[in-house]
Amino acid sequence: MSGFLFQAFVYLAASVIAVPIAKRLGLGSVLGYLIAGIVIGPVIGLVGNETQNLQHFAEFGVVMMLFIVGLELEPKVLWQMRRRLIGLGGLQVGLTSAVIAAGAFALGLSWQMAIASGLILSLSSTAIVLQTLNEKHMLKGEGGQASFSVLLFQDIAVIPMLALIPLLAVPGLSGMGQDAGAAHGAGQGSGHADVAANATDGAGHATMSLVDGLPGWGVTLVTLGAIAAVVLGGIYLSRPLFRFIADSRLREMFTAAALLLVIAIALLMTLVGLSPALGTFLAGVVLANSEYRHELEADIEPFKGLLLGLFFITVGAGIDFEILFADVGTIVGLTLAVMAAKAIVLLVLARLFRLPSPDHLLFALGLAQAGEFGFVLLSFTLQNSVLDTDTVRMLSLVVAISMLLTPGLFILYDKVLARRGAGDSRDDDAIDDAGPVIIAGHGRFGQVVNRLLMSNGHRTVVIDHSAELVDSLRRFGSKMFYGDASRPDLLHAAGIENAAILVVAIDDEEQAVEIVRMVKASHPHVHVIARASDRLAVYRLYRAGADDIVREMFDSSLRAGRYALEALGMHKFRARKAVRHFEDFDRQTLRELAQHWREDVDVFDNEEYISLARERNQMVIDAMAGANREMHDRTDRGWTPPPKPTEPAGRKAEPAGRKADAKTHTEKPVTKPAARKRRVATTPPGK
Amino acid sequence: MKRKILILFAHPAQERSEVNVELAKAAAALDFVTLVDLYGDYPDYHIDVEREQKRLLKHDVIVFLHPFYWYSTPALLKEWQDLVLEYGFAYGAKGTRLAGKIFFSALTAGGPEKAYKRRGYNHFTLRELLAPLEQTANLCGMVYLPPFALYASRRAYEEGRIGDHVAAFTGLLTALHEDRMPLAAAARHDLLNQATIRAAKSGETPARKEVPA
């Protein structure tokens, strides 16, 4: 137990210290993790061989990441990407493999070993690239999308590679390979390799499999069946299942269900010999249109982040400095040669596929490293006697160092782009237009706001925590999501970073205030419109930083009051004016009172507040009595004719009477604020 | 004395405006100009009389900037006159607060110049049609200048006339600010545009601002 706690302490402490510093220095989180790994591993030796076992566990972070990427990719977007996915991805893997294999052959490797090396090094690191692009908000751009296509193709390509590599086996190496497999490769051998072993020659490791011993057509059938299960399950089963869980109102159950979903799919894919990352990606795409998408994303995100971080640490910790320093020149030279070759192939492809020219470098530099699948394939080649131990060790270092260099290349890219001026990225902003509006809470209030915005052609993202409501409203075609809007991670998943406006229309006042405070603190650019139940809520929301605060009953009460005035015989236009004046006065009073309201002092003990409230009451009362000229002017000004020339008394009587008449009407609305104000000052707050 | 200028801009459909919005933008960029978007400040016609009067007192030149609707201003600008130009403030025995200030209207008219003639289909000149504004200014003791106008404004964009008009407007405002305009002479013209051309020709070039046409 203490051993486990110590390890957990070392890994967490290393990342907590290194990552924020790296981020602060503009190096990005990936480099922070890698450095943390190097420090606790080879440098001070706090962790040792167990990192390799940990790495297989941490690779599950990649699986989760692809699930989340899938969630953000609607099926139709994926379909639009098909040309790039197959064309760009296929050419990248094919050409890079060929170039590197040719180089390796020239360096004196046998053609089998050269091809194996080419295949292994053609892959890039999904973990590093996607994490970095996400962090820099570049995944949505052309360059980011192209990079993603290539990475996705590579993930698919691993499977045929696993089938191909055993065919390259060199008989003479076999004995050596077995030894090395036990000594070194045992650590590196991963879930993927196991799967592959099962899928291809079943006789290897004795793990579970659904396709063991089946004939070829049987394997195909089971495989297709598994994929169909994921797709159909996603479409038909997920909704009732999540609804059932959501109704339990236990947040951790939803988290558990989300994890269960990802793990179940990964397991199923492993059993039929497919890549778990691919399976969860597919499930993500299927669920991209689901109302539970943001909630799922928010639940998986922290696990993904931690696991990926752990993965990067293990990469850093796994760098064997002894071997590296034994032959520094060769290894660094090889690494640079591999990266240069990959970057050149990528540049050619970027031109061929007409990517926008500022993105060429991003694409080429971003994908120039070798990736985590490289480790997997390397140990697999060792087991299958394709490569010898020395070559595998050397190539492992090449992979690790190229990964270590990647964050540096991203920084280089940033600098190059910065020099070219911000003009290009400005355009992207404009295309994106004003970010969407997020509406938290879709009750009677949020609904009207949503309908009004949608009818004016604005995109809205609506979040509500009632699964029932979400279900029924989605039938009407609203874009709604299930979730608890007071969770920062959920707002993040809903896109608060790029949102222009957040409308907080939830019932729970505490939560509403908390959301406003949080959003204004971390995303001050978002314009926050909040609904308040009463005056005290207004003060709290005002203090929390809400830009616009709407008292939920105020406007409708004023309308009811206006109808009453009209029914009492006041002219409609005059009634409207009276209401407007009343409203202005009340709003101004509220604004002034808000200045004096203090969160820590009860309103009844707040002397300043009470005296101001009194003063404003008196103004209304005075106005009623006609004593306060200013107030009277304010309510009865407008279209005031010049004084009449002196006239015979007889003609004057009638209009004067009418005027008095009208006056009794105006007095009616102004009695109202007096009553209201008194209530605030002398009765306990509404709640 | 450097004059401060208040422009009361009234356009109820700015998303369709081709000329007025450009004039407003260019004017707002001048640091001696206060531009008030009346329809923006009072979308429901609830004019704050107090605030408007205070604004008037802070400026020396008052300009109405608006399209010509039924030979007059848009409704909100008329409402503004009805409410803000109060007895005892703008007129009446003690109503002298606006006296001495310069007033004119900058407007865009749909009809061509030849329509605003005795023989044209509008039968009156622009200046004649604006007689109510002229008399309002007189009653308030203000210095009335003829309108600064753009004729055939519906085709101005297609015919590329907006850039010059905007430049003339900012030139006029600058001349008024710097007191380079002979007011008595300007007041005799039918349109302020003519006085502006005269002022530009007489040596000093009015400051021009780069504005997109």
Side-chain angles (χ1 to χ4, degrees), chain A residues 573 577 580-581 584 637-640 642-643, chain B residues 44 46 49-50 53 79 82-83 86-87 91:
Chain A
F573 188 62
K577 272 197 296 168
R580 271 311 307 254
H581 288 301
D584 280 357
R637 199 159 168 183
W639 300 280
T640 315
Chain B
D44 51 6
H46 186 67
V49 175
E50 199 69 38
Q53 292 184 346
E79 180 98 339
D82 293 351
L83 292 179
E86 275 184 317
Y87 175 81
Y91 71 105

Side-chain angles (χ1 to χ4, degrees), chain B residues 1-4 60-61 100 102 175-180:
Chain B
M1 183 201 69
K2 301 274 186 187
R3 295 195 184 97
K4 292 177 76 178
D60 312 296
V61 182
I102 297 170
L176 283 168
H177 167 63
E178 291 170 356
D179 197 11
R180 281 193 280 107

Side-chain angles (χ1 to χ4, degrees), chain A residues 214-536:
Chain A
L214 286 178
W217 58 268
V219 175
T220 315
L221 221 61
V222 172
T223 309
L224 289 179
I227 294 175
V230 170
V231 174
L232 295 176
I235 296 173
Y236 296 107
L237 277 181
S238 68
R239 187 157 300 164
L241 178 73
F242 287 133
R243 171 78 188 278
F244 172 70
I245 295 159
D247 283 343
S248 77
R249 306 237 156 216
L250 289 168
R251 184 185 283 186
E252 68 273 17
M253 271 308 105
F254 209 98
T255 311
L259 275 178
L260 177 67
L261 175 80
V262 173
I263 289 175
I265 291 165
L267 180 66
L268 178 66
M269 289 297 125
T270 313
L271 288 179
V272 300
L274 287 179
S275 147
L278 206 64
T280 48
F281 171 74
L282 190 64
V285 173
V286 172
L287 291 172
N289 282 323
S290 154
E291 60 268 46
Y292 297 99
R293 164 182 143 193
H294 292 311
E295 181 78 18
L296 283 171
E297 206 177 323
D299 280 332
I300 297 291
E301 183 78 42
F303 293 103
K304 174 213 100 176
L306 279 177
L307 284 178
L308 271 187
L310 189 59
F311 172 75
F312 296 135
I313 292 186
T314 59
V315 170
I319 292 180
D320 192 332
F321 277 82
E322 230 171 274
I323 302 178
L324 175 62
F325 288 134
D327 205 354
V328 148
T330 318
I331 290 172
V332 172
L334 273 180
T335 308
L336 294 179
V338 166
M339 294 181 81
K342 294 188 77 165
I344 289 168
V345 170
L346 288 163
L347 265 182
V348 170
L349 289 177
R351 194 148 294 193
L352 201 65
F353 279 77
R354 305 229 169 86
L355 293 189
S357 56
D359 285 353
H360 285 186
L361 273 177
L362 172 70
F363 183 67
L365 294 179
L367 294 173
Q369 78 293 101
E372 56 273 7
F373 284 116
F375 293 131
V376 176
L377 291 178
L378 278 171
S379 59
F380 188 64
T381 53
L382 199 62
Q383 286 155 20
N384 285 280
S385 319
V386 180
L387 295 177
D388 60 88
T389 319
D390 286 341
T391 316
V392 166
R393 278 190 185 147
M394 191 172 275
L395 290 183
S396 289
L397 273 174
V398 168
V399 173
I401 294 173
S402 70
M403 285 165 83
L404 189 63
L405 290 177
T406 303
L409 290 182
F410 273 111
I411 294 167
L412 180 72
Y413 168 77
D414 276 351
K415 295 282 180 274
V416 170
L417 185 82
R419 214 166 0 99
R420 289 195 183 171
D424 298 317
S425 51
R426 268 290 152 77
D427 281 354
D428 285 348
D429 276 345
I431 294 164
D432 220 359
D433 210 30
V437 179
I438 300 177
I439 299 175
H442 200 263
R444 287 167 297 173
F445 193 95
Q447 256 175 53
V448 176
V449 177
N450 186 32
R451 275 166 46 209
L452 178 66
L453 287 170
M454 298 227 307
S455 66
N456 278 279
H458 291 282
R459 284 183 300 142
T460 58
V461 176
V462 181
I463 305 169
D464 200 285
H465 64 280
S466 157
E468 196 184 334
L469 187 74
V470 173
D471 248 19
S472 49
L473 279 161
R474 267 182 92 92
R475 291 206 187 104
F476 290 96
S478 288
K479 192 156 190 182
M480 284 195 68
F481 297 98
Y482 165 81
D484 175 355
S486 64
R487 292 177 55 183
D489 47 358
L490 191 89
L491 282 173
H492 170 80
I496 190 77
E497 280 84 4
N498 303 316
I501 289 164
L502 169 70
V503 180
V504 182
I506 58 174
D507 289 327
D508 189 314
E509 189 188 315
E510 294 298 325
Q511 277 191 11
V513 171
E514 203 36 52
I515 294 174
V516 173
R517 203 190 310 276
M518 188 174 78
V519 169
K520 285 315 267 189
S522 42
H523 309 288
H525 70 276
V526 178
H527 185 103
V528 176
I529 301 168
R531 184 186 76 172
S533 52
D534 54 19
R535 271 167 187 253
L536 291 173

Side-chain angles (χ1 to χ4, degrees), chain B residues 10 75 136 181:
Chain B
T136 299
M181 168 147 314

Side-chain angles (χ1 to χ4, degrees), chain B residues 11-66:
Chain B
H11 198 306
Q14 289 172 29
E15 69 281 0
R16 286 201 299 268
S17 160
E18 289 172 348
V19 184
N20 276 286
V21 165
E22 295 306 324
L23 290 171
K25 268 198 245 163
L30 303 171
D31 55 5
F32 50 86
V33 168
T34 307
L35 187 99
V36 175
D37 174 7
L38 279 183
Y39 277 96
D41 275 14
Y42 307 113
D44 51 6
Y45 281 56
H46 186 67
I47 290 172
D48 184 340
V49 175
E50 199 69 38
R51 175 187 181 202
E52 290 305 310
Q53 292 184 346
K54 276 188 188 140
R55 271 210 274 243
L56 286 173
L57 294 179
K58 277 193 216 142
H59 295 85
D60 312 296
V61 182
I62 316 299
V63 182
F64 285 181
L65 174 60
H66 58 97

